Amino acid sequence: SQQGEEDPQALSIQEGENATMNCSYKTSINNLQWYRQNSGRGLVHLILIRSNEREKHSGRLRVTLDTSKKSSSLLITASRAADTASYFCATASLPGAAGNKLTFGGGTRVLVKP
Amino acid sequence: EPEVTQTPSHQVTQMGQEVILRCVPISNHLYFYWYRQILGQKVEFLVSFYNNEISEKSEIFDDQFSVERPDGSNFTLKIRSTKLEDSAMYFCASSDGRTDTQYFGPGTRLTVL
């Protein structure tokens, strides 16, 4: 698989349920970021987790990072219809280098049914 | 809240024509990027730009592509002779360099006929 592969590719849940999606990557990273994209729109930055961090929270979002397994998960708790979007993980590889390019995964399409 | 803007939102062009996609990054940011997303595919890195020069480019960014920061606010991507396979959504992004967070614009949908 390529750098930054999300799993599952698609997820359908009821409003109020939690949504969990995973991302795997292949090379060493400096940090991993999650982005949301509403259909046909731009990418909205959600959260960044550094390679020396294991877990991070932001509102209803919880991100974990396991560098030994080269994987990350994004949990959205108490989902809302407005959370319907595609979610992408993106990795930045160069340690300590500003201006890192991001390598994106294929994304998970999340549908939250009211 | 400051945001990255892009114009036009949609550009339709004939194969072989030149197009210029425009971006206004967040004003105090120092690093600028172009990415593209072909319909149904991943977001792909094209080029990064810092201190008025390209810092990194991908294999996609061949001689047909160029970037420029013509003034203190705009950042442009030029495709000299468009091909059908250049049809994609093109995203501009910027970062302040203190963190790796990149802020993306809404994109320009380029359709090459």
Side-chain angles (χ1 to χ4, degrees):
Chain A
S1 64
Q2 298 179 34
Q3 185 82 343
E5 290 293 328
E6 283 90 341
D7 163 52
Q9 291 187 331
L11 185 59
S12 180
I13 56 174
Q14 292 294 135
E15 207 165 25
E17 293 180 341
N18 296 340
T20 300
M21 60 211 86
N22 305 294
C23 167
S24 61
Y25 57 91
K26 300 193 85 174
T27 63
S28 297
I29 61 168
N30 183 43
N31 65 71
L32 186 145
Q33 305 179 39
W34 286 90
Y35 287 81
R36 184 185 74 227
Q37 184 182 36
N38 290 84
S39 181
R41 307 288 295 276
L43 294 150
V44 176
H45 182 262
L46 296 176
I47 195 164
L48 179 153
I49 186 165
R50 300 204 177 280
S51 58
N52 61 354
E53 296 176 310
R54 292 296 166 258
E55 187 171 313
K56 205 161 181 180
H57 296 254
S58 176
R60 294 185 294 113
L61 304 180
R62 174 179 167 252
V63 169
T64 64
L65 179 65
D66 186 336
T67 53
S68 67
K69 294 181 180 176
K70 291 187 166 58
S71 68
S72 172
S73 68
L74 171 67
L75 167 68
I76 305 172
T77 59
S79 63
R80 303 167 183 167
D83 295 329
T84 294
S86 290
Y87 292 83
F88 296 88
C89 69
T91 54
S93 298
L94 298 177
N100 263 317
K101 71 177 184 186
L102 294 178
T103 302
F104 282 83
T108 294
R109 294 187 309 280
V110 174
L111 172 63
V112 182
K113 294 179 278 189
Chain B
E1 186 173 327
E3 58 183 18
V4 176
T5 59
Q6 290 185 243
T7 55
S9 57
H10 192 186
Q11 171 103 41
V12 181
T13 190
Q14 295 290 326
M15 191 170 55
Q17 294 296 304
E18 174 184 287
V19 294
I20 297 176
L21 309 183
R22 301 180 193 280
C23 168
V24 179
I26 294 173
S27 63
N28 62 342
H29 284 188
L30 302 175
Y31 298 85
F32 314 113
Y33 313 83
W34 284 100
Y35 293 82
R36 79 172 186 192
Q37 185 180 31
I38 294 171
L39 187 63
Q41 297 187 23
K42 294 184 181 185
V43 176
E44 302 172 288
F45 168 78
L46 292 178
V47 65
S48 58
F49 192 86
Y50 169 70
N51 200 26
N52 280 320
E53 60 183 28
I54 291 173
S55 43
E56 188 174 0
K57 59 184 180 180
S58 71
E59 290 177 356
I60 302 167
F61 194 89
D62 62 21
D63 292 345
Q64 293 301 310
F65 291 86
S66 62
V67 289
E68 193 178 29
R69 188 154 164 83
D71 52 44
S73 59
N74 290 283
F75 180 52
T76 62
L77 174 70
K78 182 193 289 187
I79 309 175
R80 266 180 267 281
S81 178
T82 50
K83 307 184 188 78
L84 295 176
E85 54 265 36
D86 293 328
S87 294
M89 183 76 95
Y90 287 81
F91 294 106
C92 173
S94 68
S95 68
D96 61 12
R98 289 182 290 118
T99 74
D100 278 325
T101 299
Q102 294 182 21
Y103 295 88
F104 283 75
T108 292
R109 182 170 298 283
L110 177 65
T111 302
V112 182
L113 302 175

